[in-house]
PDB file of all heavy atoms in Angstrom:
ATOM      1  N   PRO A 205     -10.475  -2.192 -12.530  1.00 75.00           N
ATOM      2  CA  PRO A 205      -9.533  -1.440 -11.742  1.00 75.00           C
ATOM      3  C   PRO A 205      -9.282  -1.987 -10.357  1.00 75.00           C
ATOM      4  O   PRO A 205      -8.132  -1.802  -9.807  1.00 75.00           O
ATOM      5  CB  PRO A 205     -10.078  -0.037 -11.657  1.00 75.00           C
ATOM      6  CG  PRO A 205     -11.550  -0.177 -11.765  1.00 75.00           C
ATOM      7  CD  PRO A 205     -11.656  -1.379 -12.731  1.00 75.00           C
ATOM      8  N   ALA A 206     -10.257  -2.740  -9.840  1.00 78.00           N
ATOM      9  CA  ALA A 206     -10.089  -3.347  -8.497  1.00 78.00           C
ATOM     10  C   ALA A 206     -10.708  -4.671  -8.507  1.00 78.00           C
ATOM     11  O   ALA A 206     -11.790  -4.852  -8.000  1.00 78.00           O
ATOM     12  CB  ALA A 206     -10.815  -2.402  -7.423  1.00 78.00           C
ATOM     13  N   GLY A 207     -10.007  -5.653  -9.124  1.00 81.00           N
ATOM     14  CA  GLY A 207     -10.546  -6.910  -9.239  1.00 81.00           C
ATOM     15  C   GLY A 207     -10.469  -7.761  -7.848  1.00 81.00           C
ATOM     16  O   GLY A 207      -9.667  -7.484  -7.022  1.00 81.00           O
ATOM     17  N   PRO A 208     -11.384  -8.758  -7.778  1.00 83.00           N
ATOM     18  CA  PRO A 208     -11.346  -9.534  -6.463  1.00 83.00           C
ATOM     19  C   PRO A 208     -10.060 -10.315  -6.273  1.00 83.00           C
ATOM     20  O   PRO A 208      -9.797 -10.762  -5.169  1.00 83.00           O
ATOM     21  CB  PRO A 208     -12.539 -10.430  -6.724  1.00 83.00           C
ATOM     22  CG  PRO A 208     -12.733 -10.548  -8.164  1.00 83.00           C
ATOM     23  CD  PRO A 208     -12.363  -9.223  -8.727  1.00 83.00           C
ATOM     24  N   HIS A 209      -9.246 -10.549  -7.358  1.00 83.00           N
ATOM     25  CA  HIS A 209      -8.046 -11.254  -7.209  1.00 83.00           C
ATOM     26  C   HIS A 209      -6.842 -10.426  -6.769  1.00 83.00           C
ATOM     27  O   HIS A 209      -5.798 -10.957  -6.423  1.00 83.00           O
ATOM     28  CB  HIS A 209      -7.640 -11.982  -8.456  1.00 83.00           C
ATOM     29  CG  HIS A 209      -7.470 -10.966  -9.663  1.00 83.00           C
ATOM     30  ND1 HIS A 209      -8.363 -10.077 -10.084  1.00 83.00           N
ATOM     31  CD2 HIS A 209      -6.295 -10.677 -10.389  1.00 83.00           C
ATOM     32  CE1 HIS A 209      -7.888  -9.368 -10.999  1.00 83.00           C
ATOM     33  NE2 HIS A 209      -6.624  -9.717 -11.264  1.00 83.00           N
ATOM     34  N   MET A 210      -7.006  -9.078  -6.848  1.00 91.00           N
ATOM     35  CA  MET A 210      -5.929  -8.170  -6.538  1.00 91.00           C
ATOM     36  C   MET A 210      -5.603  -8.145  -5.035  1.00 91.00           C
ATOM     37  O   MET A 210      -6.351  -8.501  -4.176  1.00 91.00           O
ATOM     38  CB  MET A 210      -6.259  -6.771  -7.015  1.00 91.00           C
ATOM     39  CG  MET A 210      -6.457  -6.666  -8.552  1.00 91.00           C
ATOM     40  SD  MET A 210      -6.952  -4.948  -9.034  1.00 91.00           S
ATOM     41  CE  MET A 210      -5.619  -4.008  -8.374  1.00 91.00           C
ATOM     42  N   ARG A 211      -4.374  -7.725  -4.707  1.00 93.00           N
ATOM     43  CA  ARG A 211      -4.043  -7.500  -3.265  1.00 93.00           C
ATOM     44  C   ARG A 211      -4.868  -6.347  -2.816  1.00 93.00           C
ATOM     45  O   ARG A 211      -5.043  -5.357  -3.485  1.00 93.00           O
ATOM     46  CB  ARG A 211      -2.536  -7.170  -3.171  1.00 93.00           C
ATOM     47  CG  ARG A 211      -1.598  -8.179  -3.776  1.00 93.00           C
ATOM     48  CD  ARG A 211      -0.194  -7.930  -3.421  1.00 93.00           C
ATOM     49  NE  ARG A 211       0.350  -6.721  -3.884  1.00 93.00           N
ATOM     50  CZ  ARG A 211       1.610  -6.265  -3.681  1.00 93.00           C
ATOM     51  NH1 ARG A 211       2.501  -6.988  -3.117  1.00 93.00           N
ATOM     52  NH2 ARG A 211       1.935  -5.052  -4.150  1.00 93.00           N
ATOM     53  N   SER A 212      -5.447  -6.550  -1.644  1.00 95.00           N
ATOM     54  CA  SER A 212      -6.479  -5.628  -1.114  1.00 95.00           C
ATOM     55  C   SER A 212      -6.038  -4.149  -1.122  1.00 95.00           C
ATOM     56  O   SER A 212      -6.795  -3.228  -1.563  1.00 95.00           O
ATOM     57  CB  SER A 212      -7.036  -6.096   0.204  1.00 95.00           C
ATOM     58  OG  SER A 212      -5.967  -6.273   1.162  1.00 95.00           O
ATOM     59  N   PRO A 213      -4.827  -3.805  -0.605  1.00 96.00           N
ATOM     60  CA  PRO A 213      -4.410  -2.394  -0.688  1.00 96.00           C
ATOM     61  C   PRO A 213      -4.381  -1.814  -2.110  1.00 96.00           C
ATOM     62  O   PRO A 213      -4.738  -0.708  -2.325  1.00 96.00           O
ATOM     63  CB  PRO A 213      -3.092  -2.327   0.069  1.00 96.00           C
ATOM     64  CG  PRO A 213      -3.079  -3.601   0.904  1.00 96.00           C
ATOM     65  CD  PRO A 213      -3.841  -4.601   0.056  1.00 96.00           C
ATOM     66  N   ASP A 214      -3.859  -2.653  -3.010  1.00 95.00           N
ATOM     67  CA  ASP A 214      -3.713  -2.209  -4.382  1.00 95.00           C
ATOM     68  C   ASP A 214      -5.134  -1.954  -5.017  1.00 95.00           C
ATOM     69  O   ASP A 214      -5.286  -0.953  -5.697  1.00 95.00           O
ATOM     70  CB  ASP A 214      -2.983  -3.260  -5.252  1.00 95.00           C
ATOM     71  CG  ASP A 214      -1.502  -3.418  -4.794  1.00 95.00           C
ATOM     72  OD1 ASP A 214      -0.953  -2.524  -4.236  1.00 95.00           O
ATOM     73  OD2 ASP A 214      -0.947  -4.479  -5.105  1.00 95.00           O
ATOM     74  N   ALA A 215      -6.114  -2.848  -4.690  1.00 93.00           N
ATOM     75  CA  ALA A 215      -7.419  -2.735  -5.202  1.00 93.00           C
ATOM     76  C   ALA A 215      -8.030  -1.449  -4.626  1.00 93.00           C
ATOM     77  O   ALA A 215      -8.760  -0.759  -5.356  1.00 93.00           O
ATOM     78  CB  ALA A 215      -8.229  -3.976  -4.921  1.00 93.00           C
ATOM     79  N   LEU A 216      -7.931  -1.215  -3.383  1.00 94.00           N
ATOM     80  CA  LEU A 216      -8.547  -0.001  -2.722  1.00 94.00           C
ATOM     81  C   LEU A 216      -7.947   1.318  -3.362  1.00 94.00           C
ATOM     82  O   LEU A 216      -8.716   2.335  -3.548  1.00 94.00           O
ATOM     83  CB  LEU A 216      -8.295   0.015  -1.204  1.00 94.00           C
ATOM     84  CG  LEU A 216      -9.223  -0.872  -0.395  1.00 94.00           C
ATOM     85  CD1 LEU A 216      -8.946  -0.699   1.050  1.00 94.00           C
ATOM     86  CD2 LEU A 216     -10.694  -0.613  -0.712  1.00 94.00           C
ATOM     87  N   GLU A 217      -6.615   1.304  -3.634  1.00 93.00           N
ATOM     88  CA  GLU A 217      -6.061   2.469  -4.260  1.00 93.00           C
ATOM     89  C   GLU A 217      -6.525   2.678  -5.637  1.00 93.00           C
ATOM     90  O   GLU A 217      -6.462   3.789  -6.192  1.00 93.00           O
ATOM     91  CB  GLU A 217      -4.497   2.368  -4.137  1.00 93.00           C
ATOM     92  CG  GLU A 217      -3.935   2.580  -2.834  1.00 93.00           C
ATOM     93  CD  GLU A 217      -2.373   2.859  -2.866  1.00 93.00           C
ATOM     94  OE1 GLU A 217      -2.009   4.061  -2.949  1.00 93.00           O
ATOM     95  OE2 GLU A 217      -1.617   1.882  -2.764  1.00 93.00           O
ATOM     96  N   SER A 218      -6.841   1.538  -6.351  1.00 91.00           N
ATOM     97  CA  SER A 218      -7.292   1.646  -7.763  1.00 91.00           C
ATOM     98  C   SER A 218      -8.840   1.880  -7.903  1.00 91.00           C
ATOM     99  O   SER A 218      -9.228   2.262  -8.965  1.00 91.00           O
ATOM    100  CB  SER A 218      -6.936   0.357  -8.485  1.00 91.00           C
ATOM    101  OG  SER A 218      -5.585   0.078  -8.452  1.00 91.00           O
ATOM    102  N   ALA A 219      -9.513   1.733  -6.812  1.00 85.00           N
ATOM    103  CA  ALA A 219     -10.953   1.853  -6.850  1.00 85.00           C
ATOM    104  C   ALA A 219     -11.343   3.329  -7.129  1.00 85.00           C
ATOM    105  O   ALA A 219     -10.755   4.179  -6.595  1.00 85.00           O
ATOM    106  CB  ALA A 219     -11.641   1.403  -5.571  1.00 85.00           C
ATOM    107  N   ARG A 220     -12.319   3.449  -8.021  1.00 79.00           N
ATOM    108  CA  ARG A 220     -12.679   4.813  -8.397  1.00 79.00           C
ATOM    109  C   ARG A 220     -13.651   5.519  -7.369  1.00 79.00           C
ATOM    110  O   ARG A 220     -13.731   6.773  -7.324  1.00 79.00           O
ATOM    111  CB  ARG A 220     -13.460   4.839  -9.786  1.00 79.00           C
ATOM    112  CG  ARG A 220     -12.595   4.280 -10.861  1.00 79.00           C
ATOM    113  CD  ARG A 220     -13.310   4.407 -12.239  1.00 79.00           C
ATOM    114  NE  ARG A 220     -12.536   3.847 -13.331  1.00 79.00           N
ATOM    115  CZ  ARG A 220     -12.712   2.726 -13.929  1.00 79.00           C
ATOM    116  NH1 ARG A 220     -13.720   1.857 -13.424  1.00 79.00           N
ATOM    117  NH2 ARG A 220     -11.976   2.304 -14.966  1.00 79.00           N
ATOM    118  N   SER A 221     -14.252   4.694  -6.558  1.00 79.00           N
ATOM    119  CA  SER A 221     -15.288   5.204  -5.568  1.00 79.00           C
ATOM    120  C   SER A 221     -14.704   5.553  -4.194  1.00 79.00           C
ATOM    121  O   SER A 221     -15.420   6.070  -3.380  1.00 79.00           O
ATOM    122  CB  SER A 221     -16.389   4.081  -5.391  1.00 79.00           C
ATOM    123  OG  SER A 221     -15.779   2.898  -4.899  1.00 79.00           O
ATOM    124  N   LEU A 222     -13.428   5.349  -4.074  1.00 83.00           N
ATOM    125  CA  LEU A 222     -12.832   5.589  -2.706  1.00 83.00           C
ATOM    126  C   LEU A 222     -11.423   6.098  -2.892  1.00 83.00           C
ATOM    127  O   LEU A 222     -10.621   5.665  -3.667  1.00 83.00           O
ATOM    128  CB  LEU A 222     -12.841   4.340  -1.914  1.00 83.00           C
ATOM    129  CG  LEU A 222     -12.272   4.405  -0.487  1.00 83.00           C
ATOM    130  CD1 LEU A 222     -13.149   5.249   0.367  1.00 83.00           C
ATOM    131  CD2 LEU A 222     -12.123   2.915   0.050  1.00 83.00           C
ATOM    132  N   THR A 223     -11.053   7.160  -2.073  1.00 91.00           N
ATOM    133  CA  THR A 223      -9.703   7.618  -2.010  1.00 91.00           C
ATOM    134  C   THR A 223      -9.164   7.340  -0.582  1.00 91.00           C
ATOM    135  O   THR A 223      -9.425   8.083   0.315  1.00 91.00           O
ATOM    136  CB  THR A 223      -9.586   9.064  -2.261  1.00 91.00           C
ATOM    137  OG1 THR A 223     -10.101   9.329  -3.604  1.00 91.00           O
ATOM    138  CG2 THR A 223      -8.126   9.560  -2.290  1.00 91.00           C
ATOM    139  N   PRO A 224      -8.405   6.258  -0.449  1.00 95.00           N
ATOM    140  CA  PRO A 224      -8.019   5.948   0.935  1.00 95.00           C
ATOM    141  C   PRO A 224      -6.833   6.956   1.426  1.00 95.00           C
ATOM    142  O   PRO A 224      -6.212   7.506   0.585  1.00 95.00           O
ATOM    143  CB  PRO A 224      -7.375   4.498   0.827  1.00 95.00           C
ATOM    144  CG  PRO A 224      -7.042   4.434  -0.672  1.00 95.00           C
ATOM    145  CD  PRO A 224      -7.950   5.291  -1.395  1.00 95.00           C
ATOM    146  N   THR A 225      -6.728   7.014   2.690  1.00 97.00           N
ATOM    147  CA  THR A 225      -5.562   7.707   3.273  1.00 97.00           C
ATOM    148  C   THR A 225      -4.365   6.810   3.274  1.00 97.00           C
ATOM    149  O   THR A 225      -4.458   5.752   3.807  1.00 97.00           O
ATOM    150  CB  THR A 225      -5.874   8.170   4.771  1.00 97.00           C
ATOM    151  OG1 THR A 225      -7.109   8.943   4.745  1.00 97.00           O
ATOM    152  CG2 THR A 225      -4.810   8.880   5.405  1.00 97.00           C
ATOM    153  N   VAL A 226      -3.271   7.243   2.655  1.00 97.00           N
ATOM    154  CA  VAL A 226      -2.057   6.467   2.529  1.00 97.00           C
ATOM    155  C   VAL A 226      -0.929   7.012   3.440  1.00 97.00           C
ATOM    156  O   VAL A 226      -0.606   8.184   3.323  1.00 97.00           O
ATOM    157  CB  VAL A 226      -1.623   6.353   1.076  1.00 97.00           C
ATOM    158  CG1 VAL A 226      -0.324   5.491   0.985  1.00 97.00           C
ATOM    159  CG2 VAL A 226      -2.774   5.790   0.176  1.00 97.00           C
ATOM    160  N   ILE A 227      -0.386   6.162   4.228  1.00 98.00           N
ATOM    161  CA  ILE A 227       0.695   6.507   5.164  1.00 98.00           C
ATOM    162  C   ILE A 227       1.841   5.564   4.890  1.00 98.00           C
ATOM    163  O   ILE A 227       1.680   4.341   4.690  1.00 98.00           O
ATOM    164  CB  ILE A 227       0.245   6.444   6.658  1.00 98.00           C
ATOM    165  CG1 ILE A 227      -0.897   7.347   6.926  1.00 98.00           C
ATOM    166  CG2 ILE A 227       1.416   6.650   7.617  1.00 98.00           C
ATOM    167  CD1 ILE A 227      -1.624   7.026   8.233  1.00 98.00           C
ATOM    168  N   THR A 228       3.054   6.125   4.803  1.00 98.00           N
ATOM    169  CA  THR A 228       4.221   5.228   4.610  1.00 98.00           C
ATOM    170  C   THR A 228       5.184   5.329   5.807  1.00 98.00           C
ATOM    171  O   THR A 228       5.356   6.316   6.398  1.00 98.00           O
ATOM    172  CB  THR A 228       5.000   5.665   3.361  1.00 98.00           C
ATOM    173  OG1 THR A 228       5.491   7.049   3.477  1.00 98.00           O
ATOM    174  CG2 THR A 228       4.148   5.542   2.083  1.00 98.00           C
ATOM    175  N   MET A 229       5.687   4.169   6.208  1.00 97.00           N
ATOM    176  CA  MET A 229       6.638   4.049   7.282  1.00 97.00           C
ATOM    177  C   MET A 229       8.048   4.340   6.773  1.00 97.00           C
ATOM    178  O   MET A 229       8.435   3.837   5.662  1.00 97.00           O
ATOM    179  CB  MET A 229       6.561   2.714   7.933  1.00 97.00           C
ATOM    180  CG  MET A 229       5.128   2.394   8.416  1.00 97.00           C
ATOM    181  SD  MET A 229       5.054   0.774   9.298  1.00 97.00           S
ATOM    182  CE  MET A 229       5.805   1.245  10.854  1.00 97.00           C
ATOM    183  N   PRO A 230       8.847   5.272   7.403  1.00 97.00           N
ATOM    184  CA  PRO A 230       9.963   5.761   6.741  1.00 97.00           C
ATOM    185  C   PRO A 230      11.218   5.004   6.822  1.00 97.00           C
ATOM    186  O   PRO A 230      12.215   5.285   6.119  1.00 97.00           O
ATOM    187  CB  PRO A 230      10.211   7.078   7.485  1.00 97.00           C
ATOM    188  CG  PRO A 230       9.599   6.831   8.859  1.00 97.00           C
ATOM    189  CD  PRO A 230       8.463   5.755   8.670  1.00 97.00           C
ATOM    190  N   ASP A 231      11.315   3.965   7.690  1.00 98.00           N
ATOM    191  CA  ASP A 231      12.537   3.244   7.894  1.00 98.00           C
ATOM    192  C   ASP A 231      12.397   1.764   8.150  1.00 98.00           C
ATOM    193  O   ASP A 231      11.306   1.310   8.514  1.00 98.00           O
ATOM    194  CB  ASP A 231      13.288   3.853   9.116  1.00 98.00           C
ATOM    195  CG  ASP A 231      13.701   5.359   8.996  1.00 98.00           C
ATOM    196  OD1 ASP A 231      14.544   5.616   8.110  1.00 98.00           O
ATOM    197  OD2 ASP A 231      13.124   6.100   9.844  1.00 98.00           O
ATOM    198  N   THR A 232      13.483   1.025   7.916  1.00 98.00           N
ATOM    199  CA  THR A 232      13.513  -0.372   8.324  1.00 98.00           C
ATOM    200  C   THR A 232      14.476  -0.450   9.529  1.00 98.00           C
ATOM    201  O   THR A 232      15.367   0.248   9.631  1.00 98.00           O
ATOM    202  CB  THR A 232      14.065  -1.252   7.113  1.00 98.00           C
ATOM    203  OG1 THR A 232      14.167  -2.616   7.660  1.00 98.00           O
ATOM    204  CG2 THR A 232      15.455  -0.752   6.684  1.00 98.00           C
ATOM    205  N   TRP A 233      14.112  -1.358  10.405  1.00 97.00           N
ATOM    206  CA  TRP A 233      14.945  -1.665  11.585  1.00 97.00           C
ATOM    207  C   TRP A 233      15.626  -2.996  11.421  1.00 97.00           C
ATOM    208  O   TRP A 233      16.190  -3.449  12.463  1.00 97.00           O
ATOM    209  CB  TRP A 233      14.046  -1.635  12.851  1.00 97.00           C
ATOM    210  CG  TRP A 233      13.416  -0.237  13.085  1.00 97.00           C
ATOM    211  CD1 TRP A 233      12.283   0.186  12.460  1.00 97.00           C
ATOM    212  CD2 TRP A 233      13.900   0.832  13.893  1.00 97.00           C
ATOM    213  NE1 TRP A 233      12.027   1.508  12.885  1.00 97.00           N
ATOM    214  CE2 TRP A 233      12.997   1.872  13.774  1.00 97.00           C
ATOM    215  CE3 TRP A 233      14.973   0.908  14.760  1.00 97.00           C
ATOM    216  CZ2 TRP A 233      13.131   3.050  14.498  1.00 97.00           C
ATOM    217  CZ3 TRP A 233      15.169   2.131  15.457  1.00 97.00           C
ATOM    218  CH2 TRP A 233      14.221   3.132  15.327  1.00 97.00           C
ATOM    219  N   ARG A 234      15.602  -3.614  10.301  1.00 97.00           N
ATOM    220  CA  ARG A 234      16.167  -4.971  10.174  1.00 97.00           C
ATOM    221  C   ARG A 234      17.513  -4.908   9.455  1.00 97.00           C
ATOM    222  O   ARG A 234      18.507  -5.527   9.907  1.00 97.00           O
ATOM    223  CB  ARG A 234      15.202  -5.843   9.386  1.00 97.00           C
ATOM    224  CG  ARG A 234      15.766  -7.301   9.190  1.00 97.00           C
ATOM    225  CD  ARG A 234      14.790  -8.169   8.350  1.00 97.00           C
ATOM    226  NE  ARG A 234      13.534  -8.220   9.019  1.00 97.00           N
ATOM    227  CZ  ARG A 234      12.360  -8.459   8.419  1.00 97.00           C
ATOM    228  NH1 ARG A 234      12.320  -8.594   7.051  1.00 97.00           N
ATOM    229  NH2 ARG A 234      11.206  -8.518   9.028  1.00 97.00           N
ATOM    230  N   PHE A 235      17.639  -4.278   8.321  1.00 98.00           N
ATOM    231  CA  PHE A 235      18.828  -4.388   7.499  1.00 98.00           C
ATOM    232  C   PHE A 235      19.347  -2.955   7.211  1.00 98.00           C
ATOM    233  O   PHE A 235      18.691  -1.918   7.556  1.00 98.00           O
ATOM    234  CB  PHE A 235      18.667  -5.066   6.202  1.00 98.00           C
ATOM    235  CG  PHE A 235      17.349  -4.630   5.462  1.00 98.00           C
ATOM    236  CD1 PHE A 235      17.220  -3.492   4.731  1.00 98.00           C
ATOM    237  CD2 PHE A 235      16.249  -5.519   5.455  1.00 98.00           C
ATOM    238  CE1 PHE A 235      16.117  -3.141   4.093  1.00 98.00           C
ATOM    239  CE2 PHE A 235      15.064  -5.165   4.783  1.00 98.00           C
ATOM    240  CZ  PHE A 235      15.055  -4.044   4.078  1.00 98.00           C
ATOM    241  N   GLY A 236      20.505  -2.877   6.601  1.00 98.00           N
ATOM    242  CA  GLY A 236      21.231  -1.592   6.455  1.00 98.00           C
ATOM    243  C   GLY A 236      21.033  -0.860   5.192  1.00 98.00           C
ATOM    244  O   GLY A 236      20.270  -1.286   4.316  1.00 98.00           O
ATOM    245  N   ARG A 237      21.825   0.159   4.978  1.00 98.00           N
ATOM    246  CA  ARG A 237      21.841   0.965   3.792  1.00 98.00           C
ATOM    247  C   ARG A 237      22.114   0.235   2.564  1.00 98.00           C
ATOM    248  O   ARG A 237      21.394   0.520   1.508  1.00 98.00           O
ATOM    249  CB  ARG A 237      22.780   2.141   3.945  1.00 98.00           C
ATOM    250  CG  ARG A 237      22.998   2.980   2.729  1.00 98.00           C
ATOM    251  CD  ARG A 237      21.724   3.548   2.120  1.00 98.00           C
ATOM    252  NE  ARG A 237      20.972   4.375   3.081  1.00 98.00           N
ATOM    253  CZ  ARG A 237      19.790   4.910   2.748  1.00 98.00           C
ATOM    254  NH1 ARG A 237      19.287   4.757   1.529  1.00 98.00           N
ATOM    255  NH2 ARG A 237      19.175   5.639   3.638  1.00 98.00           N
TER     256      ARG A 237
END
C-alpha cells in the first residue's frame, strides 16, 4: 500500500499505520477559469 517507489504523500495517505492531516489549497493564482 505504501511502496518505496511511490510519491511520498501518496504513500503516507495509503499507509495503514498513519492517518495524516490533509489540507488543500483552494485556488490558483496563475491561470484562469
Side-chain angles (χ1 to χ4, degrees):
H209 63 298
M210 295 175 61
R211 303 188 303 180
S212 52
D214 294 339
L216 281 184
E217 287 196 90
S218 300
R220 300 188 181 100
S221 59
L222 180 68
T223 303
T225 301
V226 179
I227 300 165
T228 58
M229 303 184 72
D231 296 296
T232 178
W233 297 84
R234 180 183 300 155
F235 46 76
R237 171 54 58 181

